[in-house]
């Protein structure tokens, strides 16, 4: 919701207006108070018919099952499968989603901390103020001892106008910090599950479109998506060249590959559109991280251990050093 | 779709509330906020107008000998650097990790198995830890059939493991070998040839040659007698051992100077090419012979 941008009204005028409007609600049937900020589509005013989405029964064809193991205490989630090529949504088949990804407990404080990290860790504050030594005006004593003037030793002191600043910002200061990678992962899963809870999740067959594509505006109108912002996440295999041409100029539709998925983008857009081919890779990656053991000791640098590089130490098999005589090989 | 989700009033609330946005999020009002130590009533520095770098050293008392100097010395911590510590491992913990699938009961359970299954975190421990101590807590529920090798064993723990059909043995590892076994990958990445395990010090020789504790330097025939004695003492029927277990008890054990099972000292493990390099030179072979 935008912050409401109202014109300034003087207190007297505001009182007058409220007195005038006080009795108007008694008679009218659709009274809307003047200080209420409304969403763009209001069914009371605009008479818009919203299509009802049919319920999923057990007999419907399941076109995608979960790749990874589903925990015993949870069930896989089924969602209708859509297609970018179809003008109207045909509720034919259903896709199963993994509960660890889309049924996480919605912890808002984790979401907040992740969003804050995403926005802050890149920030660098370049403000820098001069101290009394850096002003560059010299060390001359302004005036010598007199009865009717205060003591002074330098005109750069912080007490003076145009003098140095004593406790000010000192140079580029980075607000970089690291969040626990487990909380970052949890934040992603919570964002995905919130989209599912609030019915903002759409799953499409694929992001690959053929050249003879039906009207995109018609597609959005039939699903009441003409003024909602959408984020489409696709796998790297898919050829998005035709989709990109379609969607180049629109402000409301953004495309993102899987490796760019993050919490801020998910929450910024109204609807989240996922392509079916991307779900396998997502599941595999997330569950690997969720079910792995922690490091034994401290994580070591893989790049130093790789063979065939200048970093790795080579062992001479022709002239080996004797065992035990030197402290190291 | 929403029926399949786990029931929670929190989720049904969210379904009806407006869309979660970047503008809707708030910090946790009940979270602990860290304050800097130099502000507030318990400030560390800049207190009473005195800077901390001017204050005298810790323990200084004006105009008299301080408390710590008045009292005479006594050797409470006299031989601390010579003492050994062991990680306590209860039977309850073992059974739990076998049930969770972190320890494989078909393979012998060693220090590496316990470290890899994250039962105990022994990596990076202080310099006087020498192994694992098997405790008897959880003996009433223990049912797993395991072949364990530890450093010290309680009598009841021995009896429960053997009653369940497993075997126990105790072996000595010096500090360097213990560290190598806890994290073998890091040890192999150092690129040094495998060292020889040291024999136990004087005070531990009587322990490891004792068949009652199934020591690795004791007579295997006497171990067989002691098993039957234990069964009589605690009143249970001795189950039959499989041929593999019998082989382990007599011949299949590690040599007293071997650190890793199947790897001779003097050899180098190449993790990148997945090979083991064995010395060909006679001089090295003699030096590395066990």
């Amino acid at each position: 919701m935008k912050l409401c941008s109202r014109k300034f009204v003087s207190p007297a005028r505001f009182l007058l207006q409220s007195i005038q409007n006080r009795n108007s609600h008694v008679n009218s049937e659709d009274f809307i108070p003047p200080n209420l900020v409304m969403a763009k589509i209001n069914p009371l005013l605009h008479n818009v018919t919203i299509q009802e989405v049919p319920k999923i029964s057990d007999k419907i064809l399941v076109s995608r099952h979960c790749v990874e193991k589903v925990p015993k205490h949870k069930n896989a989630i089924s969602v209708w499968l859509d297609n970018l090529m179809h003008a109207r949504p045909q509720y034919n088949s259903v896709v199963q989603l993994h509960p660890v990804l889309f049924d996480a407990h919605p912890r808002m404080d984790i979401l907040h901390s992740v969003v804050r990290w995403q926005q802050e860790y890149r920030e660098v504050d370049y403000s820098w103020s001069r101290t009394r030594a850096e002003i560059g005006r010299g060390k001359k004593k302004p005036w010598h001892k007199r009865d009717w003037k205060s003591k002074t030793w330098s005109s750069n002191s912080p007490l003076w106008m145009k003098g140095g600043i004593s406790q000010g910002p000192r140079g580029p200061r980075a607000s970089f910090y690291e969040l626990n990678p487990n909380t970052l992962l949890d934040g992603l899963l919570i964002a995905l599950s919130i989209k599912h809870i609030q019915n903002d999740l759409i799953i499409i067959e694929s992001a690959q479109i053929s050249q003879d594509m039906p009207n995109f505006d018609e597609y959005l109108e039939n699903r009441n998506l003409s003024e909602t912002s959408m984020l489409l996440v696709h796998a790297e295999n898919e050829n998005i060249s035709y989709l990109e041409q379609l969607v180049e100029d629109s402000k409301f539709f953004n495309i993102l590959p899987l490796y760019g998925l993050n919490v801020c983008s998910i929450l910024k857009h109204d609807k989240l559109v996922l392509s079916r081919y991307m779900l396998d890779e997502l599941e595999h990656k997330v569950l690997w991280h969720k079910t792995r053991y922690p490091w034994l000791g401290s994580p070591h640098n893989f790049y130093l251990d790789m063979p065939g590089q200048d970093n790795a130490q080579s062992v001479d098999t022709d002239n080996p050093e004797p065992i035990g005589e030197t402290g190291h090989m | 779709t929403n029926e399949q989700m786990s029931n929670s009033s929190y989720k049904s609330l969210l379904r009806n509330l407006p869309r979660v946005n970047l503008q809707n999020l708030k910090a946790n009002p009940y979270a602990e906020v860290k304050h800097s130590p130099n502000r507030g009533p318990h400030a560390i520095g800049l207190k009473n107008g005195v800077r901390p770098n001017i204050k005298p050293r810790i323990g200084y008392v004006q105009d008299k000998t301080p408390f710590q100097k008045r009292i005479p010395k006594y050797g409470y911590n006299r031989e601390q650097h010579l003492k050994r510590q062991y990680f306590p491992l209860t039977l309850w913990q073992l059974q739990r990790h076998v049930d969770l699938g972190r320890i494989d009961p078909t393979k012998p359970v060693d220090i590496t198995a316990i470290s890899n299954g994250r039962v105990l975190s022994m990596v990076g421990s202080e310099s006087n830890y020498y192994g694992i101590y098997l405790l008897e807590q959880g003996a009433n529920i223990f049912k797993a059939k395991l072949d364990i090798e530890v450093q010290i064993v309680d009598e009841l723990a021995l009896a429960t493991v053997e009653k369940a059909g497993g075997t126990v043995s105790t072996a000595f590892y010096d500090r360097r070998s213990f560290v190598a076994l806890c994290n073998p990958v890091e040890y192999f990445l150092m690129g040094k040839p495998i060292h020889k395990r040291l024999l136990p010090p004087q005070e531990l020789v009587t322990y490891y040659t004792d068949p009652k504790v199934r020591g690795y330097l004791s007579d295997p025939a006497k171990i067989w007698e002691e098993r039957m004695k234990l069964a009589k003492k605690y009143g249970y029927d001795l189950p039959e051992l499989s041929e593999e277990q019998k082989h382990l008890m007599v011949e299949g054990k590690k040599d007293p100077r071997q650190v890793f099972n199947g790897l001779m000292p003097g050899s180098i493990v190449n993790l990148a090419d997945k090979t083991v390099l064995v010395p060909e030179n006679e001089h090295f072979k003699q030096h590395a012979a066990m």
Side-chain angles (χ1 to χ4, degrees):
Chain A
M1 285 219 307
K2 265 195 213 168
L3 287 171
C4 43
S5 50
R6 277 184 287 165
K7 283 186 206 166
F8 173 73
V9 177
S10 69
R13 177 158 263 193
F14 181 78
L15 269 176
L16 241 187
Q17 279 178 359
S18 61
I19 291 162
Q20 280 169 4
N21 292 333
R22 203 189 292 167
N23 294 321
S24 61
H25 70 276
V26 174
N27 293 323
S28 69
E29 281 180 359
D30 11 74
F31 169 72
I32 294 153
N35 59 348
L36 178 69
V37 178
M38 303 280 277
K40 282 186 180 166
I41 301 171
N42 187 5
L44 292 173
L45 294 176
H46 293 276
N47 293 326
V48 163
T49 52
I50 300 168
Q51 259 187 13
E52 273 194 28
V53 175
K55 277 196 177 179
I56 297 172
S57 69
D58 293 333
K59 295 177 189 174
I60 295 170
L61 171 78
V62 176
S63 55
R64 189 237 171 209
H65 289 275
C66 288
V67 167
E68 299 283 331
K69 244 194 200 176
V70 170
K72 279 184 190 175
H73 61 287
K74 292 195 169 179
N75 298 321
I77 297 163
S78 6
V79 175
W80 286 114
L81 184 66
D82 205 353
N83 202 330
L84 281 177
M85 303 291 285
H86 300 324
R88 284 183 182 281
Q90 297 167 8
Y91 297 105
N92 283 339
S93 60
V94 142
V95 148
Q96 279 205 331
L97 301 175
H98 203 280
V100 169
L101 283 111
F102 292 96
D103 193 12
H105 183 67
R107 288 240 349 233
M108 295 310 194
D109 59 326
I110 291 179
L111 255 191
H112 168 83
S113 55
V114 167
V115 163
R116 189 183 162 210
W117 173 82
Q118 243 191 296
Q119 289 164 346
E120 273 199 8
Y121 82 99
R122 297 178 270 199
E123 276 179 6
V124 180
D125 185 13
Y126 290 102
S127 55
W128 175 81
S129 58
R130 291 174 194 276
T131 54
R132 59 189 293 167
E134 291 160 351
I135 296 239
R137 257 191 264 130
K139 270 181 77 173
K140 188 181 168 190
K141 189 164 160 45
W143 56 76
H144 291 273
K145 181 178 160 70
R146 281 169 195 229
D147 288 342
W148 55 89
K149 268 198 168 182
S150 60
K151 275 198 225 183
T152 53
W153 295 99
S154 138
S155 62
N156 302 331
S157 96
L159 273 52
W160 280 58
M161 194 179 81
K162 297 186 194 174
I165 298 171
S166 62
Q167 304 288 351
R170 296 295 293 151
R173 192 170 146 267
S175 45
F176 173 82
Y177 65 100
E178 279 186 12
L179 253 193
N180 195 355
N182 291 330
T183 43
L184 291 174
L185 220 202
D186 284 340
L188 220 204
L189 305 182
I190 290 163
L192 287 172
S193 46
I194 277 173
K195 285 288 168 199
H196 172 61
I197 290 167
Q198 300 193 314
N199 297 319
D200 288 332
L201 196 68
I202 301 168
I203 297 184
I204 54 171
E205 175 71 36
S206 75
Q208 263 174 327
I209 314 177
S210 58
Q211 220 163 4
D212 50 335
M213 158 72 191
N215 195 359
F216 197 57
D217 295 331
E218 205 189 305
Y219 175 92
L220 294 175
E221 262 190 55
N222 287 332
R223 294 149 222 266
N224 289 323
L225 295 175
S226 40
E227 282 178 14
T228 52
S229 51
M230 301 206 282
L231 178 69
L232 190 142
V233 187
H234 66 273
E236 277 179 80
N237 301 340
E238 302 178 32
N239 183 11
I240 7 157
S241 48
Y242 296 125
L243 222 200
E244 274 178 351
Q245 282 170 21
L246 258 185
V247 155
E248 224 173 333
D249 297 324
S250 80
K251 280 192 208 174
F252 296 101
F253 204 100
N254 288 326
I255 307 178
L256 194 67
L258 210 210
Y259 54 77
L261 191 61
N262 63 87
V263 173
C264 276
S265 309
I266 293 173
L267 295 178
K268 188 175 175 181
H269 296 83
D270 290 339
K271 300 269 176 186
L272 184 66
V273 184
L274 305 177
S275 90
R276 207 184 79 162
Y277 291 110
M278 173 273 275
L279 287 172
D280 295 349
E281 210 188 317
L282 222 202
E283 259 184 44
H284 181 70
K285 277 186 179 177
V286 165
L287 282 160
W288 187 87
H289 279 287
K290 275 270 170 187
T291 54
R292 61 179 288 238
Y293 285 168
W295 279 102
L296 251 188
S298 56
H300 57 263
N301 193 342
F302 284 109
Y303 296 107
L304 294 174
D305 305 330
M306 285 211 300
Q309 295 210 347
D310 297 328
N311 278 334
Q313 292 173 1
S314 53
V315 177
D316 273 331
T317 48
D318 295 320
N319 307 314
E321 288 180 32
I323 302 161
E325 277 186 25
T326 51
H328 52 273
M329 277 290 274
Chain B
T1 54
N2 290 327
E3 289 163 2
Q4 282 171 324
M5 284 170 53
S6 46
N7 290 329
S8 104
S9 54
Y10 204 2
K11 288 176 188 166
S12 54
L13 246 187
L14 263 182
R15 225 168 276 148
N16 298 320
L17 287 173
R19 193 176 275 135
V20 175
N21 254 334
L22 293 172
Q23 285 85 21
N24 282 345
L25 295 174
K26 251 199 212 178
N28 185 0
Y30 304 107
E32 283 178 6
V33 181
K34 288 183 197 170
H35 296 292
S36 69
N38 264 335
R39 295 283 175 273
H42 305 289
I44 289 168
L46 288 173
K47 205 171 174 188
N48 299 326
V50 180
R51 269 175 279 138
N53 57 351
I54 293 172
K55 287 183 187 169
R57 62 176 187 275
I58 295 169
Y60 179 70
V61 169
Q62 222 173 6
D63 295 342
K64 50 185 174 179
T65 46
F67 167 76
Q68 56 267 23
K69 261 200 156 180
R70 282 170 171 261
I71 291 177
K73 287 193 195 179
Y74 183 79
Y76 287 113
N77 303 324
R78 184 177 51 236
E79 284 158 6
Q80 209 69 7
H81 64 287
L82 298 173
K83 290 187 179 171
R84 287 168 295 275
Q85 280 203 63
Y86 296 89
F87 285 100
L89 177 69
T90 56
L91 290 173
W92 190 92
Q93 271 178 325
L94 252 186
Q95 180 65 51
R96 176 172 170 258
H97 287 278
V98 167
D99 293 338
L100 286 173
R102 292 201 212 178
I103 291 180
D104 197 1
T106 56
K107 295 181 184 167
V109 178
D110 202 7
I111 294 168
T112 24
I114 287 167
S115 176
N116 285 340
R118 311 299 193 271
V119 183
L120 299 169
S121 67
M122 304 184 281
V123 172
S125 54
E126 283 177 31
S127 58
N128 62 349
Y129 274 95
Y130 277 73
I132 296 171
Y133 192 144
L134 193 63
L135 298 169
E136 62 202 23
Q137 188 180 22
N140 51 336
I141 49 159
F142 191 79
K143 280 178 198 165
K145 187 179 161 192
L146 300 170
D147 307 326
I148 311 175
E149 195 188 53
V150 282
Q151 278 64 58
I152 311 180
V153 188
D154 272 351
E155 210 185 13
L156 224 198
L158 250 183
T160 42
V161 176
E162 296 195 333
K163 183 183 174 187
T167 55
V168 184
S169 75
T170 49
F172 174 79
Y173 292 93
D174 58 303
R175 174 74 194 156
R176 195 177 164 202
S177 321
F178 178 64
V179 165
L181 279 173
C182 285
N183 195 354
V185 171
E186 224 180 88
Y187 179 77
F188 295 142
L189 284 175
M190 286 200 274
K192 298 180 194 174
I194 296 171
H195 65 278
K196 280 197 272 190
R197 180 169 133 208
L198 299 175
L199 291 168
Q202 206 176 31
E203 58 260 23
L204 291 180
V205 169
T206 45
Y207 187 82
Y208 288 110
T209 47
D210 194 1
K212 284 185 190 170
V213 195
R214 317 288 186 271
Y216 72 129
L217 299 172
S218 57
D219 197 359
K222 288 186 186 170
I223 287 176
W224 208 253
E225 287 172 17
E226 289 293 335
R227 290 187 83 228
M228 295 201 244
K229 280 186 198 172
L230 241 194
K232 270 189 195 171
K233 180 180 176 187
Y234 282 99
Y236 60 87
D237 291 328
L238 250 190
E240 276 186 30
L241 295 178
S242 67
E243 282 190 27
E244 286 173 4
Q245 282 174 320
K246 285 181 194 168
H247 182 76
L248 243 188
M249 282 182 77
V250 180
E251 286 174 15
K253 269 197 273 193
K254 284 190 243 180
D255 196 85
R257 309 244 36 208
Q258 200 180 16
V259 181
F260 297 102
N261 199 357
L263 291 173
M264 312 295 279
S267 54
I268 303 174
V269 173
N270 190 345
L271 284 175
D273 301 335
K274 297 183 183 172
T275 53
V276 176
L277 307 166
V278 170
E280 289 175 354
N281 199 340
E282 284 247 7
H283 172 74
F284 300 140
K285 269 190 192 171
Q286 266 178 21
H287 187 89
M290 296 191 285

